[in-house]
Amino acid sequence: MATDKYIKNYINGALLPPDSGAYFDNYNPATGKVYSQIPDSDAKDVQLAVEAAERAFPAWSKTDVNTRFRILARIADIIEQNLEEFAKAETIDSGKPIKTSTTIDIPRAHQNIRFFATAVLHFASESHHMPGEAINYTLRQPIGVVGCISPWNLPLYLFTWKIAPALATGNCVIAKPSEMTPMTAFLLAKACMEAGLPDGVLNIIHGYGPKAGQAIVAHPKIKAISFTGGTETGKKIIQTAGPMFKKMSLELGGKNPNIIFADCDFDEMMIGTLRSSFTNNGQICLCGSRIYVERSIYDKFKTEFVKRTRFLKVGDPFSTVTDMGALVSKAHMEKVMSYLALAEVEGGTILCGGKPVKVKGEYEEGYYLSPAVIEGLPIGCRTNQEEIFGPVVTITPFDKEEEAIAMANGTQFGLSATVWTKDITRANRISEQLHAGIVWINCWLLRDLRTPFGGVKASGVGREGGLEALRFFTETKNVCVKY
Ligand code: NDP
């Protein structure tokens, strides 16, 4: 399954150039060099894709679930069989370490597809009996043509997380990956062709968000939008899709708290907190970027955490000893660095990191940054309120449980939260009060695909995962039969 220099759209079962014939550069963030070309697609390409999807829908929506399961499972198998190639493509596109692509991103992509392929076999609907009078039963029918738009941080992982439940429930899909990480979506198109997915059932459009993405959101025939990305983009999507009464699932930004109590298992917490702070260069919506530590262990925590952060190896994503590769783009690195400068203006002290790292040889022009730990910032400052989405965390001491909860809840976001304590009563009490869609106690990013996934407040609307995703991608209809 080869990666080509010219990426193509996948429309009506074929790999096509964009209608305009225009392409733009795809950078390898580890080297800072252009390595492939991305179709600059527009509304015309989306129109072609929608027409293909509409043609495919009557047959696909009526295809029995066993056949849908078999085709989707075949796609999952092809990804798994080509793990190395997919992982390599993901690493070149995103700058993340090859060990992350190989052990997290790509395995999760084929697991997503298999999970929803099998889930639909068990998907059932309810009936409500009115004794002696009538029976109500619920139909859950595919919506039609739906749009799936995903970000660059977990490219194939999040792309498949949306596409798989949409296809499994009988919808036809127009999907767009981020223009920064399109290659594994291109490989997915090839896998779908090899697996025999009928033409037009899945269509993948490449290009810029405000152009190709916006054309998907605004298309009148696309009836639902499943979007993962930034909160500001989410607002734009609501402005377009809201007045068109489209069904929407929006998974948006986070600024997640990590609350550490003195009674935690210190070693486990330290390993977990390093992971939740810097995995994927902090470019995961679920990373815990605000760390609150009970004052009695604050100094001990600070010393050990800074020591271990300094020890993290930043560099060549293809080296197996690398912990952190390149940030996804030059613009993103500049954005993260602007927050480091802001943190100092706001009164923070950078305890370690926050400096560009020069990696020798072919990686000299790559976008590398050493992981940063900042202390001494007020709770309400921008550094503590806005999503940075990079290898930057702030640490703050607290005295009382209520104070920690208030600080944790004190942003516009509400995606996830982590709590480290051996006191299970306290853990449950706090979980109830946190403004978050996901709470991890004494762990982080431990995922069961059956669980609901999503955020509150500015972190999103709706839930993905398990039955929630199957419900999102189906319309519910009640049929009442009097007897
Ligand atoms: P963006 O919001 O910039 O982009 C997300 C996707 O939307 C991309 O495919 C992008 O295309 C596209 N897009 C951009 N503008 C529009 C538009 N006007 N209409 C339609 N589509 C558009 O997010 P990032 O890619 O920068 O991803 C990082 C963000 O994603 C962070 O805020 C992070 O927290 C969030 N995220 C949330 C998750 C969650 O589950 N809650 C999980 C992972 C990330 P293009 O890139 O080509 O411009």
Side-chain angles (χ1 to χ4, degrees):
M1 192 150 297
T3 56
D4 306 353
K5 182 160 186 241
Y6 282 85
I7 289 171
K8 299 274 190 324
N9 289 329
Y10 173 51
I11 300 176
N12 199 26
L15 298 176
L16 301 179
D19 180 79
S20 66
Y23 287 83
F24 59 94
D25 293 338
N26 187 19
Y27 284 84
N28 173 349
T31 61
K33 302 226 162 50
V34 174
Y35 86 102
S36 77
Q37 295 293 314
I38 307 167
D40 184 2
S41 309
D42 57 28
K44 285 194 189 141
D45 301 288
V46 172
Q47 179 60 30
L48 256 188
V50 172
E51 285 166 14
E54 283 201 298
R55 280 195 303 276
F57 180 69
W60 182 248
S61 57
K62 290 189 184 65
T63 299
D64 80 284
V65 285
N66 291 302
T67 306
R68 275 192 235 143
F69 157 77
R70 271 198 297 276
I71 296 173
L72 291 174
R74 229 179 281 146
I75 298 171
D77 290 345
I78 293 169
I79 296 174
E80 190 170 15
Q81 284 151 13
N82 292 279
L83 170 77
E84 225 174 275
E85 204 149 3
F86 272 89
K88 191 173 158 212
E90 205 70 294
T91 285
I92 293 174
D93 247 1
S94 66
K96 67 179 70 193
I98 190 71
K99 68 181 173 199
T100 310
S101 300
T102 309
T103 60
I104 299 177
D105 288 73
I106 305 306
R108 177 57 193 276
H110 61 72
Q111 281 158 20
N112 285 338
I113 298 176
R114 224 172 263 119
F115 174 80
F116 285 111
T118 52
V120 79
L121 298 177
H122 306 271
F123 192 37
S125 62
E126 308 82 36
S127 80
H128 300 88
H129 187 202
M130 300 164 77
E133 194 177 4
I135 181 91
N136 294 273
Y137 64 90
T138 308
L139 290 179
R140 291 194 190 278
Q141 297 171 299
I143 298 172
V145 181
V146 301
C148 296
I149 301 177
S150 60
W152 49 259
N153 63 324
L154 298 165
L156 194 64
Y157 176 132
L158 290 175
F159 203 53
T160 50
W161 181 235
K162 296 181 174 304
I163 291 170
L167 295 179
T169 45
N171 298 281
C172 291
V173 176
I174 315 295
K176 194 194 94 63
S178 168
E179 104 246 356
M180 273 183 272
T181 51
M183 196 55 94
T184 48
F186 181 43
L187 295 182
L188 174 67
K190 294 184 176 185
C192 291
M193 292 166 80
E194 192 180 327
L197 186 71
D199 297 350
V201 168
L202 171 63
N203 302 273
I204 300 176
I205 302 289
H206 295 275
Y208 291 115
K211 198 178 191 178
Q214 174 67 20
I216 293 172
V217 177
H219 198 291
K221 295 284 174 59
I222 297 180
K223 296 180 184 153
I225 300 291
S226 173
F227 170 79
T228 299
T231 295
E232 286 310 309
T233 316
K235 279 186 200 163
K236 288 190 194 127
I237 287 173
I238 293 174
Q239 279 159 11
T240 303
M244 298 174 86
F245 304 107
K246 294 192 183 194
K247 205 172 179 187
M248 274 182 276
S249 163
L250 305 174
E251 301 296 336
L252 309 177
K255 186 77 180 173
N256 310 305
N258 176 4
I259 306 172
I260 298 166
F261 286 94
D263 70 351
C264 70
D265 179 322
F266 192 83
D267 290 335
E268 260 189 49
M269 175 280 295
M270 190 51 68
I271 293 165
T273 297
L274 271 175
R275 281 183 62 235
S276 65
S277 301
F278 301 122
T279 299
N280 207 36
N281 252 320
Q283 301 168 139
I284 298 183
C285 52
L286 304 162
C287 277
S289 52
R290 295 179 291 140
I291 304 176
Y292 300 115
V293 187
E294 195 164 7
R295 197 177 300 277
S296 58
I297 60 160
Y298 183 78
D299 287 337
K300 179 181 173 196
F301 171 84
K302 178 168 111 177
T303 307
E304 185 64 23
F305 186 60
V306 168
K307 188 176 105 194
R308 294 201 196 190
T309 300
R310 283 205 174 105
F311 200 69
L312 292 172
K313 178 113 184 61
V314 179
D316 170 6
F318 281 98
S319 160
T320 48
V321 297
T322 293
D323 296 303
M324 298 168 71
L327 295 190
V328 75
S329 69
K330 187 161 186 269
H332 188 57
M333 172 136 163
E334 284 164 3
K335 177 193 149 187
V336 175
M337 290 190 66
S338 76
Y339 273 103
L340 290 159
L342 175 70
E344 289 187 304
V345 172
E346 291 181 324
T349 303
I350 300 176
L351 300 172
C352 66
K355 298 270 185 292
V357 175
K358 276 279 163 220
V359 182
K360 289 206 179 85
E362 61 173 318
Y363 299 111
E364 246 167 21
E365 303 297 318
Y367 318 128
Y368 301 94
L369 188 64
S370 52
V373 180
I374 310 173
E375 76 166 348
L377 282 168
I379 304 310
C381 72
R382 284 183 54 207
T383 310
N384 265 328
Q385 291 289 321
E386 297 176 13
E387 186 184 41
I388 300 173
F389 216 56
V392 180
V393 295
T394 63
I395 60 173
T396 308
F398 70 86
D399 294 299
K400 292 213 159 64
E401 184 179 308
E402 308 81 70
E403 189 192 350
I405 295 169
M407 290 195 293
N409 288 342
T411 73
Q412 64 161 332
F413 297 106
L415 187 52
S416 70
T418 303
V419 181
W420 294 93
T421 178
K422 280 192 191 145
D423 180 343
I424 197 66
T425 305
R426 168 159 62 196
N428 286 311
R429 188 169 60 228
I430 293 179
S431 300
E432 234 175 54
Q433 297 173 70
L434 286 169
H435 300 167
I438 302 148
V439 180
W440 278 294
I441 307 294
N442 298 326
C443 59
W444 177 74
L445 209 57
L446 187 53
R447 292 278 293 120
D448 179 327
L449 303 189
R450 293 168 301 179
T451 60
F453 180 93
V456 300
K457 303 198 289 190
S459 288
V461 180
R463 291 290 178 274
E464 298 186 325
L467 288 177
E468 301 281 345
L470 299 180
R471 289 191 184 122
F472 174 76
F473 284 113
T474 47
E475 283 291 8
T476 309
K477 184 188 289 174
N478 185 66
V479 180
C480 177
V481 184
K482 191 168 183 325
Y483 59 83

